[in-house]
Amino acid sequence: MATSVVVAGTLIGYAMKKMEAPQNLSVFPTGEANTGYARYFTGQSWLAPLTSMKELNVPMSNVTFEPGCRNNWHSHSGGQILIAVGGAGYYQEKGKAARRLEPGDVVEIAPDVIHWHGAAPESWFSHLAIECNPQINNNAWLDPVTDAEYAEAVK
Amino acid sequence: MATSVVVAGTLIGYAMKKMEAPQNLSVFPTGEANTGYARYFTGQSWLAPLTSMKELNVPMSNVTFEPGCRNNWHSHSGGQILIAVGGAGYYQEKGKAARRLEPGDVVEIAPDVIHWHGAAPESWFSHLAIECNPQINNNAWLDPVTDAEYAEAVK
């Protein structure tokens, strides 16, 4: 009986943890659970759209990753810009060493470059993500970043 | 003689002040004195380009304003996005009330909307500025924001 209570408590605690992201990780909103892209992520992420004026052609969101969370290998035909705003994370292009990201770091991702980004193992991470050339942009989602690839990238 | 020394000291102090901006106003670099656009500004500003990959079509800089500094009334044919990142400032569209800006605030400026932006009277201010639709964008610079217009906007 005592064991059941502990297990139930742990499960409830885990479910609650999955629903919440720290609200003071950056000065930008954290938004909602990133369910739309969840199938392209390892771990839990959150998404807060920051713009809505379509004719500006600069769609921008704040993306928040729990520790260890990262997206799959992928590319954008229009390119992408990341602006690190909270916590610590990583960016890696296929075949290159990963780059650690801290608030203030800006990443320019050329069209069709295969890459991933996400949190450090020990830290939450938020970055603004700008979709470039949205008039022609398509995203190509590839394989997950394996635990071995991630461990090698962040070591 | 004593008066001359004091005057010279004051002038040197003023010249040094004009050359420096606070380096910890935000997590982004402050860059150099914004001499290229100085004729469109009332007061001193600094400019730090943050991107260079032309094909992304999202030129982005950090602009820092000394207290009271603001740019002239102006418009962009491609529109603009501002992201407040340090200190406090204001944004005003012609004929509307000014909006106070704090870190995390995002401003979407539609094409051809006449506006100005700058620091609060009592605070330095930094915002990221994104030029939208750079392939077709032209800036139209108009009259300075008078002291009376500024005082009314920020009161």
Side-chain angles (χ1 to χ4, degrees):
Chain A
M1 181 65 179
T3 304
S4 299
V5 170
V6 169
V7 170
T10 302
L11 287 173
I12 290 167
Y14 185 67
M16 288 179 64
K17 170 185 168 294
K18 295 280 280 187
M19 296 298 291
E20 293 172 12
Q23 293 303 309
N24 57 353
L25 188 60
S26 79
V27 293
F28 299 93
T30 302
E32 304 296 326
N34 187 12
T35 52
Y37 290 85
R39 66 190 182 281
Y40 306 125
F41 280 63
T42 300
Q44 182 86 354
S45 66
W46 287 258
L47 188 69
L50 300 178
T51 58
S52 63
M53 201 177 279
K54 196 170 182 322
E55 68 263 42
L56 298 182
N57 289 312
V58 184
M60 180 168 62
S61 297
N62 185 25
V63 186
T64 298
F65 305 76
E66 67 176 344
C69 175
R70 66 275 185 180
N71 50 30
N72 286 11
W73 292 103
H74 65 287
S75 64
H76 314 273
S77 61
Q80 188 182 41
I81 293 175
L82 308 178
I83 307 170
V85 294
Y90 284 87
Y91 167 76
Q92 184 176 30
E93 298 186 356
K94 198 85 176 177
K96 298 188 181 178
R99 173 181 168 195
R100 187 172 171 93
L101 301 178
E102 309 275 356
D105 289 334
V106 175
V107 181
E108 295 181 272
I109 307 169
D112 299 320
V113 167
I114 296 172
H115 66 280
W116 66 267
H117 29 117
E122 79 289 357
S123 175
W124 289 78
F125 180 52
S126 282
H127 67 52
L128 308 189
I130 293 173
E131 180 185 354
C132 302
N133 300 297
Q135 309 94 318
I136 58 93
N137 182 59
N138 285 302
N139 301 329
W141 290 99
L142 307 169
D143 290 335
V145 174
T146 65
D147 288 347
E149 286 174 317
Y150 180 75
E152 176 68 21
V154 305
K155 77 177 180 187
Chain B
M1 182 62 181
T3 305
S4 299
V5 170
V6 170
V7 169
T10 303
L11 287 172
I12 291 167
Y14 186 66
M16 288 179 66
K17 170 184 168 295
K18 296 277 279 188
M19 297 297 292
E20 293 171 11
Q23 294 303 308
N24 57 352
L25 188 60
S26 80
V27 292
F28 299 94
T30 302
E32 304 295 326
N34 186 11
T35 51
Y37 290 84
R39 66 189 181 283
Y40 305 125
F41 280 64
T42 300
Q44 182 85 355
S45 65
W46 287 257
L47 189 69
L50 299 179
T51 58
S52 62
M53 201 177 279
K54 196 170 183 319
E55 67 264 42
L56 298 181
N57 289 312
V58 184
M60 181 169 62
S61 297
N62 185 23
V63 187
T64 298
F65 305 75
E66 68 176 343
C69 175
R70 68 273 185 180
N71 51 29
N72 287 13
W73 293 103
H74 65 286
S75 64
H76 315 273
S77 62
Q80 188 182 40
I81 293 175
L82 308 178
I83 308 170
V85 293
Y90 284 87
Y91 167 75
Q92 184 176 30
E93 298 186 357
K94 198 85 175 179
K96 298 188 180 177
R99 173 181 166 193
R100 188 172 171 94
L101 300 178
E102 310 273 356
D105 289 334
V106 174
V107 182
E108 295 181 271
I109 307 169
D112 300 320
V113 167
I114 296 174
H115 67 279
W116 65 266
H117 29 115
E122 78 289 358
S123 175
W124 289 78
F125 180 52
S126 283
H127 66 53
L128 308 189
I130 293 173
E131 180 185 352
C132 302
N133 300 297
Q135 308 95 317
I136 58 93
N137 182 60
N138 285 303
N139 301 329
W141 289 98
L142 307 169
D143 290 335
V145 174
T146 66
D147 289 348
E149 286 175 316
Y150 180 75
E152 176 68 20
V154 305
K155 78 177 179 184

